[in-house]
Amino acid sequence: MDKKTPLYETHVALKGKMVPFGGYSLPVQYADAGLVKEHMAVRESVGLFDVSHMGEIFIQGSDALKNVQNIFTNDFEKMKAGQIRYTVMCNESGGIIDDLILYKYNDEKFMGVVNASNKEKDFEWIKNHLTGDVEAVDSSDDIGLIAIQGPNARATLEKLVEKADFPEKYYTFKEQVDFKGMKVDLSETGYTGEEGFEVYTKAEDVEKIWHLLIEAGEEFNIQPCGLGARDTLRLEAGMPLYGHEMSETINPLQVGLQFAVKMKKDGFIGKEALEKASIDQVRVGLKITGKGIVREEVPIFVEDNQIGMSTSGTHAPFLGYAIAMALIDKDYAEVGQVVEAEVRGRRVQAEVIPMPFYKK
């Protein structure tokens, strides 16, 4: 049976259409709004997401820094307390076990926020590769997480949190912030391409915080948003998703994550394999210029040659046309390359365009 987040009853009361996702029952959209309205609320004003299904794994102890340097691909040596860094966790073959963001509390305490469907696998992997004075603690069930995203996200939060308690800039966080008498960790992060924040709270406080945010955002027509809008927003923003653009047989260099892989730092798991890797296929963005939607796992052709497969695709509500991401042979990855996607036996024309598709 799928697990429920602490906001499950709230979603049901809001007429959320509940679907299984990552081992949880979560709303894909709400009956009174729908995917497009939810998507546009985030682009134009403010939207609210329950992301309590994400996993939070703490790595703590006097050897914590040494271990995160070894287990993850980014470089955390000069990272300051209060900073957040996107990273990848690879296996010995260079394949992606998961992607995550890593919060630094201090040299002896880090928190990795991982994908819901991977958190048990991630926790076992991390535990099994720790050395020295360090431990991993899975706190996922104790933490509730809400993402508030959009141009009016800050104005909404300013009604509830003192301005001095806001994170200093994008990809930083403040811990133990007062939120109307409750303590939260507040980060300036998100997965939509908009300015936004994520509120980490005790699981028992998350419902109260949700309702406070809804009330504070009323003047901006704040909109609860489901998984559907989360996916179309991240696609417009060109953000890869585990299980689509990433897997244990795809390495981060293929999908444009070089910025999070620091080959000059001392060894990390997967480094040797990545040094030897031959990158034959790369991730590209496609604008669908023909008629139709190109979903994931659709063959991509140039004339009679299959050059790859799509990994995600949708109609982009803000852009007003269909887009897709694909892994294709690098020889065909230049912007402007015309390709065809084979959708149910019919060829649909598309063109390689730069990503992100949308940038605010």
Side-chain angles (χ1 to χ4, degrees):
M1 180 179 289
D2 293 317
K3 295 175 69 174
K4 298 174 180 177
T5 73
L7 286 165
Y8 176 84
E9 298 298 339
T10 302
H11 300 314
V12 172
L14 288 168
K15 301 178 185 177
K17 181 182 178 183
M18 308 305 286
V19 299
F21 180 82
Y24 286 79
S25 180
L26 289 163
V28 65
Q29 61 182 15
Y30 295 88
D32 292 340
L35 187 155
V36 172
K37 184 175 179 181
E38 293 165 23
H39 181 110
M40 296 304 291
V42 174
R43 285 279 178 259
E44 296 176 342
S45 186
V46 59
L48 204 60
F49 300 82
D50 174 18
V51 278
S52 301
H53 58 295
M54 302 291 284
E56 290 86 12
I57 299 172
F58 286 90
I59 299 171
Q60 53 198 28
S62 61
D63 289 322
L65 177 59
K66 183 177 74 175
N67 278 274
V68 298
Q69 285 288 82
N70 180 54
I71 293 173
F72 306 123
T73 60
N74 213 325
D75 192 348
F76 313 99
E77 190 69 43
K78 296 181 180 178
M79 191 179 180
K80 297 177 181 176
Q83 289 186 325
I84 302 165
R85 199 153 286 173
Y86 177 84
T87 189
V88 174
M89 182 164 67
C90 285
N91 57 29
E92 288 86 351
S93 301
I96 301 172
I97 293 176
D98 205 358
D99 69 325
L100 62 144
I101 53 176
L102 194 73
Y103 287 62
K104 179 173 179 175
Y105 288 81
N106 55 58
D107 276 346
E108 298 187 2
K109 184 180 179 183
F110 295 82
M111 178 179 73
V113 181
V114 303
N115 287 293
S117 58
N118 289 339
K119 59 187 174 187
E120 285 82 12
K121 176 186 75 170
D122 292 351
F123 184 56
E124 288 302 313
W125 179 269
I126 291 169
K127 270 199 315 181
N128 292 334
H129 290 83
L130 293 177
T131 59
D133 178 24
V134 65
E135 64 172 353
V137 178
D138 182 359
S139 297
S140 305
D141 291 340
D142 301 325
I143 294 175
L145 178 55
I146 295 172
I148 177 168
Q149 301 281 299
N152 285 315
R154 181 180 292 271
T156 301
L157 269 174
E158 283 179 349
K159 297 181 180 181
L160 302 163
V161 175
E162 294 291 334
K163 288 185 179 180
D165 288 335
F166 274 66
E168 292 178 2
K169 57 184 179 180
Y170 188 53
Y171 259 55
T172 66
F173 73 104
K174 289 281 186 72
E175 55 179 305
Q176 293 295 291
V177 168
D178 182 75
F179 195 110
K180 292 294 179 184
M182 296 167 281
K183 294 297 182 186
V184 306
D185 288 354
L186 181 62
S187 65
E188 189 169 346
T189 47
Y191 194 51
T192 64
E194 295 296 335
E195 181 185 32
F197 301 85
E198 293 180 301
V199 183
Y200 294 81
T201 178
K202 293 178 182 176
E204 58 265 33
D205 290 339
V206 72
E207 186 175 1
K208 185 176 180 182
I209 287 174
W210 174 277
H211 289 296
L212 284 169
L213 287 166
I214 290 287
E215 185 179 348
E218 273 183 0
E219 72 167 293
F220 306 115
N221 294 318
I222 192 169
Q223 176 63 56
C225 302
L227 295 167
R230 185 169 161 84
D231 193 50
T232 53
L233 288 159
R234 73 94 190 168
L235 248 166
E236 279 189 344
M239 296 178 176
L241 175 63
Y242 199 87
H244 291 256
E245 286 73 38
M246 293 177 278
S247 74
E248 292 194 31
T249 59
I250 296 173
N251 75 53
L253 308 182
Q254 290 175 270
V255 288
L257 300 179
Q258 287 87 344
F259 71 94
V261 181
K262 305 304 183 189
M263 300 298 285
K264 290 183 179 178
K265 78 168 182 175
D266 291 339
F268 59 84
I269 299 171
K271 181 180 177 182
E272 289 184 16
L274 292 175
E275 286 174 334
K276 299 173 184 173
S278 174
I279 308 301
D280 299 321
Q281 290 197 321
V282 295
R283 177 170 63 109
V284 298
L286 298 177
K287 178 179 181 179
I288 311 306
T289 53
K291 190 174 181 181
I293 303 293
V294 177
R295 307 286 185 190
E296 67 269 26
E297 298 185 355
V298 170
I300 306 296
F301 287 85
V302 169
E303 297 178 344
D304 291 331
N305 299 320
Q306 184 178 344
I307 61 166
M309 298 282 283
S310 64
T311 52
S312 298
T314 188
H315 175 77
F318 184 81
L319 299 174
Y321 52 80
I323 56 175
M325 293 188 209
L327 274 175
I328 65 171
D329 295 348
K330 65 179 182 182
D331 292 344
Y332 299 96
E334 289 290 322
V335 169
Q337 173 71 51
V338 175
V339 302
E340 289 181 316
E342 190 168 280
V343 181
R344 299 190 188 95
R346 182 175 64 89
R347 294 285 182 94
V348 177
Q349 196 169 72
E351 178 182 338
V352 176
I353 63 172
M355 285 196 292
F357 301 105
Y358 164 83
K359 191 172 184 180
K360 71 180 176 68

